[in-house]
Amino acid sequence: MNKSLVVGNWKMNLTVPESTVLIEKLKKELVKLKAVEVVICPSYLDIYPASKELAESNVALGAQDLFYEEEGAYTGEVSPIALSHFVKYVIVGHSERRMHFGDTDKVVARKVEAAVAHELSPVICVGESLHEKEDGLGKVVVMSQLETAISHLTAAEIAEVAVAYEPVWAIGTGHVCKPAEAENMAANIRALIKALYGEKASEGVRVLYGGSVTDENAADFAKLKQVDGVLVGGASLDHEKFTKIAKAFEPKKK
Ligand code: PGA
């Protein structure tokens, strides 16, 4: 059985001193959790201090993105080699990267490949827009994003991957996806991985839901069979809310 995974995406929020305060609070509250793996993804600038603050804790660290080249003349980018010294996870293909920074499915695939090559576990985000949902294209879009994103990976490498179903219309909007819809899409995601890489790979991959997850609705997602955790934006900036969300996944209620 997969260990539940609860990931906090701090996005472009908090200064380093503010992050330190939040990390101290989180460490105290999350220390007792055993069946859930908690990951926080602060800004690049905070990764180094956060890695020291979290060194002896059970809270893991992730980055919000990476670049696919290892080094060179790529002003403003961050190398997977540099990240691999400090983080275990990396979010790839978040809809905000796709929307504001032009990350295409092919770019996402290269980033996923680079992450795995440097022993970082990618949390691959996939999800349809509101228009696509209204046109009945949700499944087609998600399957196509995912198929491209993992196209460079072997069956063994797939074990390192988590896939976050994040419908774009649910991110930061308060319009949470119905748990039954999230369960259905998570099953589709697993079925695609099974078709491409076999049953064992599909069972090992952790599938998360993300989009307006709060301390009030987390328990609804924790009950789902196909959903192994959540990717949390706004609510991860509040230590009480994020702790409640993480606790909803422990013990695993399946
Ligand atoms: P949200 O963001 O929880 O604020 O909706 C989720 C995400 O962007 O990963």
Side-chain angles (χ1 to χ4, degrees):
M1 199 183 261
N2 292 331
K3 199 170 185 181
S4 299
L5 183 64
V6 172
V7 184
N9 174 9
W10 290 1
K11 307 193 180 182
M12 200 179 72
N13 294 296
L14 306 183
T15 60
V16 169
E18 286 166 347
S19 303
T20 302
V21 172
L22 182 51
I23 286 171
E24 279 314 309
K25 288 181 182 163
L26 285 174
K27 265 185 2 188
K28 275 189 207 124
E29 308 213 22
L30 296 174
V31 75
K32 293 183 212 109
L33 297 186
K34 297 230 160 46
V36 53
E37 198 173 353
V38 180
V39 182
I40 55 166
C41 303
S43 72
Y44 283 134
L45 201 57
D46 194 40
I47 283 176
Y48 177 62
S51 73
K52 298 195 158 189
E53 288 152 13
L54 292 171
E56 301 296 314
S57 83
N58 58 344
V59 180
L61 202 52
Q64 298 174 16
D65 191 32
L66 81 173
F67 192 49
Y68 47 75
E69 296 292 353
E70 293 187 339
E71 61 181 4
Y74 302 103
T75 302
E77 290 296 338
V78 176
S79 152
I81 300 179
L83 287 173
S84 67
H85 288 95
F86 302 107
V87 306
K88 190 172 165 205
Y89 290 89
V90 60
I91 298 171
V92 184
H94 191 281
S95 63
E96 287 153 14
R97 298 284 330 163
R98 296 176 189 261
M99 215 177 338
H100 303 305
F101 305 99
D103 283 15
T104 61
D105 288 348
K106 287 199 170 139
V107 166
V108 172
R110 291 189 71 182
K111 289 184 172 184
V112 168
E113 185 184 19
V116 171
H118 293 90
E119 289 173 14
L120 299 167
S121 294
V123 178
I124 304 172
C125 300
V126 290
E128 80 283 7
S129 68
L130 184 59
H131 283 308
E132 289 160 343
K133 178 183 164 62
E134 285 170 351
D135 289 346
L137 295 172
K139 182 178 171 189
V140 175
V141 168
V142 168
M143 295 300 103
S144 138
Q145 287 176 344
L146 181 59
E147 189 164 359
T148 308
I150 59 179
S151 56
H152 300 304
L153 303 187
T154 63
E157 288 169 339
I158 277 286
E160 301 308 315
V161 164
V163 180
Y165 170 53
E166 293 215 308
V168 179
W169 48 268
I171 296 176
T173 59
H175 298 303
V176 70
C177 178
K178 289 194 186 99
E181 280 177 36
E183 177 79 338
N184 195 22
M185 196 61 90
N188 291 332
I189 286 168
R190 237 180 262 287
L192 177 66
I193 292 172
K194 185 175 169 187
L196 295 171
Y197 295 96
E199 182 144 20
K200 198 162 162 244
S202 78
E203 283 168 0
V205 166
R206 286 185 286 187
V207 182
L208 315 182
Y209 166 74
S212 296
V213 173
T214 65
D215 49 325
E216 282 163 20
N217 61 31
D220 299 335
F221 294 100
K223 283 184 201 136
L224 302 175
K225 274 213 170 65
Q226 298 293 332
V227 173
D228 301 302
V230 279
L231 177 52
V232 188
S236 70
L237 295 167
D238 178 315
H239 76 279
E240 284 176 357
K241 288 184 184 166
F242 191 58
T243 303
K244 278 191 197 155
I245 292 169
K247 284 186 179 162
F249 282 84
E250 167 150 331
K252 205 165 172 171
K253 302 184 184 90
K254 288 175 190 170

